[in-house]
């Protein structure tokens, strides 16, 4: 080993690390009831990506993951994922994990959308064309989420703080979110994962297939190109239009009417 | 008579069946490396504690994705490190990480020591100062690999980058550190 590497290795023993806290009691008290994980593991037999944080604990506990339908559906998730880049699943939940009301900081940052960037920079870092809805104009903020936190080929979110005629979502202070990632929607799986009471309607905008989901908060699942299960919250907990835009999955969230959402989608350029 | 410590694989199998005591044992085994990894990323012991704690809870919920026979350390570190990075992102800033040496190497040590030992101590202090002064990217990879003593796979998991990128990043970081060290020595 060269000298510098040896010196660095020797340095390891000399570091005054902060004392490691005993995490076990706190972790144990935060674990779900015994048996829940085992049941999920048996049902799932594969990865899951749920969001967990202390502030979100109550909400996350209410997210009952209906993965049985997926596992029951043959062939396997890996094979399914190989058909297209991304499949989407939407599930109604009782309590949607939302950030604390209006904490300080940029709009998108507190929604966990990734790193703030500019439209031009985001475009440089992803392989697909990032579309902007001319109906809403230039976004107030742009965020980029790259792997491992984001989807395999990245995810770009356009944040619109306020727009005329569109109410601001109370807890987040955001009017509209437009999120884009490369992938596709498969209706065969999409419909199977919906909870009862969710309004779900197939729509077409400019020749592109999409789904209008209204009335309830949603948890959003998909398998990315690597076969990994991903879980995301539809962050505004409001109506959502999901579009399969020729290889790009676009989701438009906000307190929008169906007509408004479709108008926004139609103006994507 | 105490029995042999249970293998990780046995603990994970039990935990996957919902045995929280087994999972608690896993937490005990890996909390130090998890906490230190989170500390290196966040630069804050408080944030590191929260990240490690939430990471372990999240990992428990994702136990179904843990493949039997796989190495648990990279799997756990990936989850904990993601939590740590999320905290840095949501805070909008990273605390400046400044690693320190254990007491015996601090300047002003009153205990008499042989000259050679004093010189060695000074070299160690200077090297750590240089590591502390590296860019975030260089410091993270060097600290993970050498000071946390993570393997290439574990470093990749902790930093959320491919193992090949760890190698190239490490090589560049060492070259820069070596150059800086040379400049300091000749100053």
């Amino acid at each position: 080993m060269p000298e510098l590497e040896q010196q660095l290795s020797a340095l390891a023993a000399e570091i005054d690390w902060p004392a490691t806290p005993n995490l076990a009691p706190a972790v144990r008290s935060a674990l779900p009831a015994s048996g829940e994980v085992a049941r999920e593991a048996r049902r799932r037999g594969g990865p899951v990506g749920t969001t967990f944080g202390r502030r979100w604990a109550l909400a996350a506990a209410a997210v009952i993951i209906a993965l049985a339908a997926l596992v029951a559906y043959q062939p396997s998730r890996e094979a399914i994922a190989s058909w297209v880049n991304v499949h989407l699943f939407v599930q109604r939940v009782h309590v949607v994990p939302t950030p604390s009301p209006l904490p300080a900081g940029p709009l998108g940052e507190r929604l966990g959308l990734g790193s703030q960037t500019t439209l031009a920079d985001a475009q440089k870092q992803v392989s697909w064309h990032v579309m902007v809805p001319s109906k809403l104009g230039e976004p107030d903020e742009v965020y980029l989420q790259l792997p491992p936190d984001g989807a395999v080929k990245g995810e770009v979110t356009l944040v619109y703080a306020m727009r005329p005629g569109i109410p601001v979502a109370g807890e987040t202070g955001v009017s509209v979110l437009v999120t884009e990632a490369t992938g596709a929607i498969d209706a065969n799986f999409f419909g199977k994962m919906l909870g009862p009471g969710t309004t779900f309607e197939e729509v077409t905008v400019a020749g592109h297939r999409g789904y209008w989901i209204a009335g309830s908060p949603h948890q959003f699942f998909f398998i990315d190109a690597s076969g990994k299960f991903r879980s995301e919250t539809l962050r505004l907990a409001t109506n959502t239009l999901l579009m399969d835009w020729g290889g790009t999955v676009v989701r438009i969230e906000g307190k929008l009417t169906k007509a408004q959402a479709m108008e926004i989608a139609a103006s994507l350029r | 008579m105490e029995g042999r410590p249970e293998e990780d694989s046995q603990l994970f199998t039990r935990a996957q069946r919902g045995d929280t005591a087994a999972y608690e044992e896993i937490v005990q085994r890996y909390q130090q490396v998890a906490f230190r990894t989170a500390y290196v990323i966040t630069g804050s012991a408080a944030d590191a504690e929260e990240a490690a704690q939430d990471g372990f809870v999240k990992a428990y919920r994702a136990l179904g994705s843990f493949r039997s026979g796989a190495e648990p350390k990279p799997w756990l570190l990936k989850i904990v490190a993601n939590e740590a990075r999320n905290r840095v992102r949501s805070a909008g800033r990273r605390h400046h990480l400044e690693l320190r040496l254990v007491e015996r190497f601090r300047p002003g040590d009153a205990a008499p020591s042989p000259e050679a030992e004093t010189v060695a101590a000074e070299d160690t202090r200077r090297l750590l100062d240089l590591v502390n002064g590296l860019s975030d990217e260089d410091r993270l990879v060097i600290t993970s690999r050498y000071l946390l003593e993570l393997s290439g796979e574990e470093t990749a998991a902790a930093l959320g980058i491919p193992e090949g990128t760890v190698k190239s990043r490490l090589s560049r970081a060492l070259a820069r550190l070596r150059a800086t060290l040379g400049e300091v020595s000749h100053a």
Side-chain angles (χ1 to χ4, degrees):
Chain A
M1 185 187 281
E3 191 183 357
L4 177 58
E5 284 92 319
Q6 282 177 344
Q7 289 174 356
L8 286 166
S9 294
L11 190 57
E14 309 300 338
I15 300 298
D16 185 15
W17 295 101
T20 300
N22 183 12
L23 301 172
V27 170
R28 183 163 196 170
S29 67
L31 296 184
S34 178
E36 182 182 322
V37 166
R39 282 195 298 277
E40 282 188 15
R42 278 198 297 275
R43 265 191 249 144
R44 197 168 55 220
V48 65
T50 55
T51 305
F52 191 90
R54 192 168 287 114
R55 288 178 300 171
W56 297 18
L58 288 175
V63 179
I64 307 303
I65 306 169
L67 298 178
L70 177 66
V71 173
Y73 196 96
Q74 296 299 323
S76 69
R77 288 193 315 277
E78 289 73 18
I80 292 165
S82 71
W83 293 350
V84 293
N85 286 335
V86 177
H87 301 288
L88 297 172
F89 305 91
V90 175
Q91 185 188 8
R92 191 169 64 90
V93 296
H94 298 298
V95 183
V96 70
T98 52
S100 302
L102 298 176
L107 291 172
E109 203 164 86
R110 59 184 189 250
L111 297 176
L113 302 174
S115 304
Q116 189 170 2
T117 182
T118 62
L119 200 55
D121 186 57
Q123 183 60 79
K124 281 180 196 163
Q125 296 200 52
V126 297
S127 55
W128 78 93
H129 170 62
V130 179
M131 295 179 288
V132 175
S134 59
K135 177 73 182 169
L136 298 177
E138 288 293 304
D140 298 308
E141 291 175 8
V142 178
Y143 287 81
L144 175 65
Q145 186 93 280
L146 293 170
D149 298 326
V152 166
K153 294 184 179 176
E155 187 174 273
V156 175
T157 300
L158 314 179
V159 177
Y160 295 89
M162 294 179 74
R163 286 298 182 274
I166 304 173
V168 168
E171 287 185 296
T172 57
V174 173
S175 259
V176 184
L177 290 181
V178 178
T179 305
E180 303 175 25
T182 186
I185 298 172
D186 190 314
N188 289 329
F189 304 100
F190 192 59
K192 288 177 185 295
M193 301 303 288
L194 286 171
T198 303
T199 306
F200 171 66
E201 184 185 343
E202 187 165 347
V203 297
T204 303
V205 178
H208 301 287
R209 189 178 53 170
Y211 300 92
W212 171 244
I213 307 156
S216 300
H218 298 88
Q219 188 81 358
F220 172 92
F221 294 94
F222 64 95
I223 299 174
D224 65 21
S226 68
K228 184 180 172 189
F229 230 115
R230 298 192 62 83
S231 157
E232 289 188 22
T233 303
L234 296 179
R235 290 175 171 86
L236 301 188
T238 53
N239 301 336
T240 300
L241 178 64
L242 281 166
M243 295 295 306
D244 184 340
W245 206 275
T248 302
V249 173
V250 182
R251 70 181 196 260
I252 300 169
E253 300 172 53
K255 286 190 173 175
L256 301 160
T257 64
K258 179 182 159 190
Q260 283 177 315
M262 291 181 67
E263 199 177 348
I264 292 168
S267 73
L268 283 166
R269 299 288 182 269
Chain B
M1 191 177 99
E2 285 187 16
R4 288 176 57 195
E6 202 167 357
E7 295 286 340
D8 279 343
S9 59
Q10 293 171 300
L11 285 174
F12 270 84
T13 303
R14 281 174 51 204
Q16 283 176 322
R17 291 183 189 135
D19 184 339
T20 52
Y23 192 67
E24 202 170 338
E25 174 64 27
I26 292 169
V27 174
Q28 296 277 8
R29 285 187 189 186
Y30 290 98
Q31 63 184 5
Q32 179 170 291
V33 69
F35 169 74
R36 288 181 178 180
T37 301
Y39 177 66
V40 163
I41 292 168
T42 62
S44 151
D47 287 349
E49 181 175 352
E50 286 196 358
Q53 187 176 312
D54 287 352
F56 276 118
V57 175
K58 192 170 182 178
Y60 182 79
R61 292 174 171 272
L63 274 172
S65 71
F66 181 75
R67 286 181 294 104
S68 175
E71 281 295 322
K73 200 162 151 189
W75 185 79
L76 285 168
L77 287 182
K78 185 173 185 178
I79 295 171
V80 169
N82 273 343
E83 286 296 308
R85 277 191 291 274
N86 286 342
R87 266 170 176 71
V88 171
R89 264 194 290 271
S90 61
R93 66 191 170 85
R94 187 194 303 275
H95 294 275
H96 180 68
L97 175 71
E98 183 137 0
L99 294 171
R100 286 185 284 195
L101 296 175
V102 290
E103 190 67 33
R104 65 179 176 276
F105 279 125
R106 284 181 185 165
D109 187 348
S113 48
E115 188 180 344
E117 197 171 308
T118 306
V119 171
E122 185 56 29
D123 286 348
T124 304
R125 188 188 57 74
R126 190 166 57 215
L127 180 59
L128 184 59
D129 285 347
L130 291 177
V131 171
N132 280 328
L134 291 170
S135 67
D136 281 351
E137 187 176 289
D138 287 356
R139 191 176 60 243
L140 273 171
V141 73
I142 282 188
T143 303
S144 300
R145 194 73 176 85
Y146 293 107
L147 305 189
L148 290 172
E149 301 177 280
L150 302 181
S151 68
E153 182 190 6
E154 290 158 2
T155 301
L159 302 187
I161 55 178
E163 209 171 331
T165 308
V166 169
K167 284 181 187 166
S168 55
R169 211 176 263 190
L170 192 61
S171 170
R172 288 196 297 270
L174 284 170
R176 279 191 279 265
L177 185 58
R178 200 170 276 117
T180 314
L181 204 53
E183 287 169 15
V184 171
S185 303
H186 292 101

